Amino acid sequence: MKPRTAFLPAALCLALLAAPGARADDAVVVPKLVPLPAHMVRKPGGFTVTADTPVRAADGPALRHVGAQFKAMLGERLPLMLDLAKDGSRGNNIEFALDATRKWSAPDAYSIDIDERGVRVYAGDAKGLYYGAVTLAQLLTSGDAGGASVRLPALHIDDAPRFGWRGFMLDSARHFQSVDEIKRLLDAMAQLKLDVFHWHLTDDQGWRFPVPGWPKLTTVGSCRLPAGDGGIDAATGKPAPYCGFYTEAQIREVVAYAAERHIDVVPEVDIPGHATAAIAAYPQLGVSGEPVAVSNEWGVNVNLFNADETTMRFLEDVLTQVAKLFPGKFVHIGGDEAVKDQWKASPKMQARIRELGVDGEEGLQAWMVARLERALAAHGKRLLGWDEILMGELPPSATVMSWRGIEGGIDAAKKGHDVVMAPSDVLYLDYLQTHSPDEPPGRPATIELHQVYGFEPVPKALDAQQAKHILGVQANVWTEHMRNFARVQHAYFPRIAALAEVAWSPKAERDYAGFLQRLPAMLPRWKAQGLAVATTPFQPQIDAGTPLADGSAEVAVQQPLGYALRYTTDGSAPTAASPLYFASLALPLPATLTVQTFFDDRPLGAPATRTFSAASLLTRSDEELAMCTDQLMLRLEDDGPRLGDRAIFNVDIFNPCWTWKRAPLAGIGAIEVRAGRIPYFFQLAHDEPHRTFKPAKTAHGELELHAGCDGPLLATLPMPEKPNADGFVTLRAPLHDAPADADLCLWFTGDTRPAMWVLDRVTLQPK
């Protein structure tokens, strides 16, 4: 390949580096960088980094600090003993330097030059120099670990981010994470050049930081009793509260740790809704003044702060504490899902509306927002809120985070407000990320990797001037269903890498196929950081199989990211020489199918194995069934035990009904159903009327089976009062005159509150 010295698009440069016609003397590590740099050009030659290569960063403490951070980034994965040289001659080294003579486009910008003389990383600011170190660390870990040296290609990189706000939100109110766990997330953010950590610290289910003068916020507001058996200590049989809050010292520790990695921490205190924990601590803050408990239910709670003067002074005390603990520019005041029913029904709040002369309940929230904006401005802070704050008159300096789609962001930008794009339909990472039955509990719908990668933060509806108000983009994780840190990590990784590229790389350079070629290099980097990355995007998904007329089974396999699949049918592990999977397979029964994802002829993730028999083809788990309607499907777990594994169920909480599409009912004499029972722990506010259920005919409801959801009744059985000791009940219903091939619909009658039956498994039994 003829060497090029002109700038190339970064994606094309990567393709050229990987091309089979590359020069033999350039046996270099192919750069697998995430996010993709803005500009990168390949030059002839390269440089070999060895254990003797010094790191030169001697001109001041800031440079030496970056040099030390660079060494830490390499960790133990790269066996290079790089020493920070206090001085040394130029050449044959890795050099970090600040260049004040050049006009840099942003504090994040940097340049890297690699040639036969060594590696030079330049920037105009410590932040840019740090990001240069991140890129260089990725260059050095783009290939296989284990060698004594790494041959880098000769490159010139000029890089700067597309957006200044590259955000990542963690909800610590619903479930609590330790300081060490948060630090691991901050490390991962820094590795991807994300620079805003939005920390959700208060909600209906918990208040997570102290405020002087208001001690019950943490002694009362930080604890709840989980619903059902999830709040019972098995050893004592007594309720075991779920508690947690961060001390001032711990918050400062997190803020300092983030700052070391050039990450701003944006705290969120939700006002006026999502306020139950605070009202439980101090009932006078609520509308009724009556005691309430910290909520142990998910969804939209109707409790609001009142707008009394004493409550406003409380909120100003809270924001004063926030301003003291968090030195960043922005403070998030929530503002979302503030159902106004209590304000509408309260004579006191109606009198307050008249006293202030505002326009109804939305005007009252707008008045609160404006007052809190002034309080924050007095501390040198800017107010940020969810897009519901646009429903009233908004102070000009307020910034809007658009979560209910992009429309709020468009409206805000056209009105002159700065905007952070965080739409729930593509950037809420607590949504399931694949259709695998191995996905942990999560919120409705599925947001796959390609959806995150394909999001465009600047809407076409904005003109060039309005588009300047788009500060950036952010992914959010709400932790209702994440009672351990492994689930938090599962939600973020690998989708957070797609977000990083959306936030950093030029729009014209983004290419999903190229991203998938670079993504596998992130897996060992994350592993070196001790992160538990989701395995489901990389694993093969083998379906349950369909019986064929000749007695064999038709089996299909999917790979969520489209990587190559190889398989065996003899029980052995697939290798690079095993057959490639292209289409569904017809397997004689009994059969064992083992499938492995491959990338660059190497295994990626763990293999998947499934055994098929005539009996297995007649069984489906709830994950393998469809919902009868698509209203609000959740993947929910049982309420116990308090610690350890729990059963997981797919259920539409608005219509708990399951369907087996084209169930093979010919020759079937009975159906066996295994069901569990879980608490109904949801607050739906104005969505409550959408919850439907079939009336019960017996004391505890029935299991009904129909041929088609609107079709004839095939069988019905009364349900018991409660499940067995293991949490399940197994029911067997005989079938008479069932159609040979129909959609089999199953539902449980009766009100779903306070507990609901959920399907676990269906088995068809031949006559």
Side-chain angles (χ1 to χ4, degrees):
M1 177 184 295
K2 182 179 179 181
R4 297 178 180 268
T5 55
F7 273 105
L8 298 174
L12 178 59
C13 182
L14 285 170
L16 292 173
L17 286 170
R23 293 162 52 107
D25 61 348
D26 291 338
V28 295
V29 170
V30 176
K32 294 182 178 177
L33 305 176
V34 180
L36 190 69
H39 299 286
M40 181 164 55
V41 62
R42 171 75 191 274
K43 296 182 178 182
F47 178 72
T48 301
V49 178
T50 72
D52 298 324
T53 303
V55 176
R56 187 176 186 274
D59 301 329
L63 288 171
R64 290 187 58 76
H65 184 58
V66 170
Q69 288 180 308
F70 168 67
K71 285 179 58 182
M73 290 174 197
L74 296 178
E76 297 180 358
R77 181 179 178 227
L78 192 65
L80 301 176
M81 301 300 294
L82 299 173
D83 292 324
L84 276 177
K86 294 183 179 179
D87 51 40
S89 59
R90 293 181 179 272
N92 199 35
N93 62 13
I94 295 172
E95 180 182 0
F96 292 91
L98 291 171
D99 182 359
T101 65
R102 177 175 168 179
K103 186 176 181 180
W104 299 90
S105 61
D108 320 64
Y110 68 91
S111 291
I112 295 178
D113 279 300
I114 303 173
D115 56 29
E116 68 279 358
R117 297 175 300 159
V119 181
R120 293 164 300 285
V121 183
Y122 297 113
D125 185 271
K127 186 176 184 180
L129 203 63
Y130 179 82
Y131 288 147
V134 169
T135 297
L136 182 55
Q138 286 197 7
L139 285 170
L140 287 167
T141 56
S142 285
D144 296 327
S149 64
V150 177
R151 177 73 171 167
L152 295 176
L155 288 174
H156 176 75
I157 296 175
D158 265 330
D159 200 10
R162 183 183 179 196
F163 296 106
W165 188 296
R166 304 181 298 279
F168 170 110
M169 190 219 77
L170 176 66
D171 169 19
S172 295
R174 272 58 173 267
H175 280 100
F176 186 78
Q177 304 82 36
S178 71
V179 169
D180 286 343
E181 289 167 343
I182 290 173
K183 286 180 177 180
R184 287 160 64 187
L185 295 178
L186 293 171
D187 285 336
M189 287 182 64
Q191 188 181 49
L192 292 167
K193 302 184 177 76
L194 300 172
D195 66 349
V196 177
F197 175 51
H198 173 177
W199 201 3
H200 185 78
L201 290 168
T202 74
D203 217 294
D204 295 307
Q205 296 80 15
W207 184 285
R208 304 299 181 204
F209 69 98
V211 178
W214 302 91
K216 290 183 180 179
L217 289 175
T218 51
T219 60
V220 174
S222 71
C223 293
R224 66 173 182 266
L225 285 177
D229 291 341
I232 303 298
D233 187 314
T236 65
K238 297 180 179 180
Y242 183 95
C243 302
F245 70 93
Y246 303 99
T247 66
E248 290 189 7
Q250 288 174 320
I251 290 173
R252 291 191 179 96
E253 183 180 354
V254 169
V255 169
Y257 195 86
E260 287 274 310
R261 288 145 186 81
H262 302 279
I263 296 170
D264 292 329
V265 181
V266 175
E268 180 181 354
V269 178
D270 223 327
I271 304 167
H274 292 284
T276 304
I279 296 170
Y282 294 98
Q284 68 269 28
L285 301 174
V287 176
S288 71
E290 298 297 322
V292 298
V294 178
S295 180
N296 61 7
E297 296 185 311
W298 315 127
V300 180
N301 199 297
V302 298
N303 290 323
L304 300 183
F305 287 117
N306 64 51
D308 294 346
E309 182 61 28
T310 53
T311 298
M312 296 306 300
R313 287 199 294 269
F314 158 77
L315 294 173
E316 289 168 348
D317 286 348
V318 169
L319 296 184
T320 297
Q321 171 75 336
V322 166
K324 181 178 75 171
L325 293 175
F326 296 93
K329 181 189 301 184
F330 288 91
V331 172
H332 203 303
I333 57 96
D336 62 309
E337 298 178 326
V339 179
K340 306 300 192 300
D341 294 357
Q342 289 185 343
W343 283 359
K344 290 178 180 179
S346 168
K348 189 175 182 181
M349 286 301 98
Q350 292 302 308
R352 184 68 161 153
I353 288 171
R354 292 190 295 272
E355 174 191 348
L356 296 171
V358 297
D359 185 12
E361 292 76 27
E362 296 301 339
L364 184 58
Q365 179 171 345
W367 174 83
M368 294 179 75
V369 170
R371 176 156 170 176
L372 297 176
E373 188 273 339
R374 293 193 297 273
L376 287 170
H379 295 288
K381 308 292 184 182
R382 287 185 60 182
L383 180 143
L384 172 66
W386 301 109
D387 55 53
E388 283 96 330
I389 65 175
L390 285 163
M391 296 172 74
E393 186 176 350
L394 199 58
S397 66
T399 298
V400 173
M401 187 166 280
S402 187
W403 77 276
R404 297 177 300 170
I406 62 173
E407 292 74 20
I410 294 171
D411 184 24
K414 287 183 175 181
K415 292 177 178 178
H417 296 287
D418 287 342
V419 174
V420 177
M421 284 294 189
S424 61
D425 58 340
V426 286
L427 294 180
Y428 270 32
L429 303 190
D430 44 301
Y431 284 40
L432 307 180
Q433 59 182 307
T434 75
H435 298 285
S436 168
D438 294 329
E439 287 286 335
R443 288 161 67 89
T446 302
I447 296 178
E448 299 181 72
L449 185 73
H450 70 88
Q451 294 171 271
V452 178
Y453 193 88
F455 175 63
E456 171 48 45
V458 180
K460 294 179 181 179
L462 301 180
D463 62 31
Q465 187 61 36
Q466 294 164 346
K468 293 179 181 179
H469 285 292
I470 306 298
L471 300 181
V473 62
Q474 178 172 296
N476 300 329
V477 164
W478 304 99
T479 63
E480 289 98 324
H481 308 291
M482 300 180 191
R483 61 187 177 94
N484 56 51
F485 187 56
R487 290 183 183 172
V488 174
Q489 297 170 87
H490 180 102
Y492 277 119
F493 305 102
R495 289 180 293 184
I496 199 69
L499 172 86
E501 198 142 301
V502 170
W504 183 280
S505 303
K507 178 183 178 181
E509 298 299 315
R510 282 177 22 217
D511 171 63
Y512 184 61
F515 172 76
L516 290 179
Q517 294 297 302
R518 291 175 277 114
L519 178 62
M522 290 302 305
L523 300 182
R525 294 169 186 155
W526 284 327
K527 183 178 180 181
Q529 290 180 302
L531 293 167
V533 178
T535 59
T536 49
F538 303 100
Q539 72 182 30
Q541 297 176 12
I542 306 174
D543 76 359
T546 302
L548 298 176
D550 63 1
S552 63
E554 182 180 24
V555 178
V557 187
Q558 292 185 337
Q559 209 301 310
L561 303 184
Y563 292 117
L565 293 172
R566 294 185 181 272
Y567 69 92
T568 63
T569 57
D570 61 2
S572 64
T575 69
S578 299
L580 277 167
Y581 174 85
F582 291 107
S584 61
L585 303 170
L587 301 177
L589 298 177
T592 298
L593 179 64
T594 303
V595 189
Q596 171 75 66
T597 303
F598 277 80
F599 176 76
D600 283 349
D601 288 331
R602 296 179 183 178
L604 187 62
T609 298
R610 188 158 188 165
T611 299
F612 298 90
S613 65
S616 76
L617 297 179
L618 299 179
T619 295
R620 293 290 186 272
S621 70
D622 58 296
E623 293 91 354
E624 294 164 337
L625 298 175
M627 299 294 108
C628 298
T629 54
D630 185 16
Q631 297 189 53
L632 187 59
M633 194 281 283
L634 297 172
R635 179 160 292 179
L636 300 175
E637 66 179 356
D638 202 351
D639 58 321
R642 187 172 69 90
L643 303 174
D645 294 336
R646 300 177 181 176
I648 297 174
F649 308 93
N650 280 5
V651 57
D652 185 336
I653 66 169
F654 279 9
N655 182 25
C657 174
W658 297 259
T659 181
W660 184 338
K661 299 290 187 181
R662 299 190 63 187
L665 298 179
I668 299 300
I671 297 182
E672 184 178 276
V673 175
R674 187 174 191 249
R677 192 164 173 84
I678 62 175
Y680 188 96
F681 39 62
F682 301 97
Q683 289 286 335
L684 299 176
H686 292 169
D687 285 328
E688 180 67 27
H690 298 146
R691 184 177 67 91
T692 61
F693 55 89
K694 313 292 192 300
K697 303 178 183 67
T698 58
H700 309 296
E702 300 83 34
L703 165 66
E704 289 193 6
L705 299 94
H706 290 253
C709 293
D710 296 322
L713 178 69
L714 298 179
T716 181
L717 287 173
M719 298 300 295
E721 180 181 1
K722 58 184 180 180
N724 299 324
D726 64 355
F728 293 92
V729 62
T730 299
L731 305 168
R732 187 176 184 275
L735 285 188
H736 303 288
D737 302 322
D741 188 7
D743 290 347
L744 177 64
C745 288
L746 308 93
W747 61 70
F748 302 103
T749 65
D751 196 341
T752 56
R753 290 186 184 271
M756 64 189 303
W757 289 103
V758 285
L759 190 67
D760 180 61
R761 186 174 64 238
V762 180
T763 301
L764 306 180
Q765 297 180 333
K767 293 178 181 177

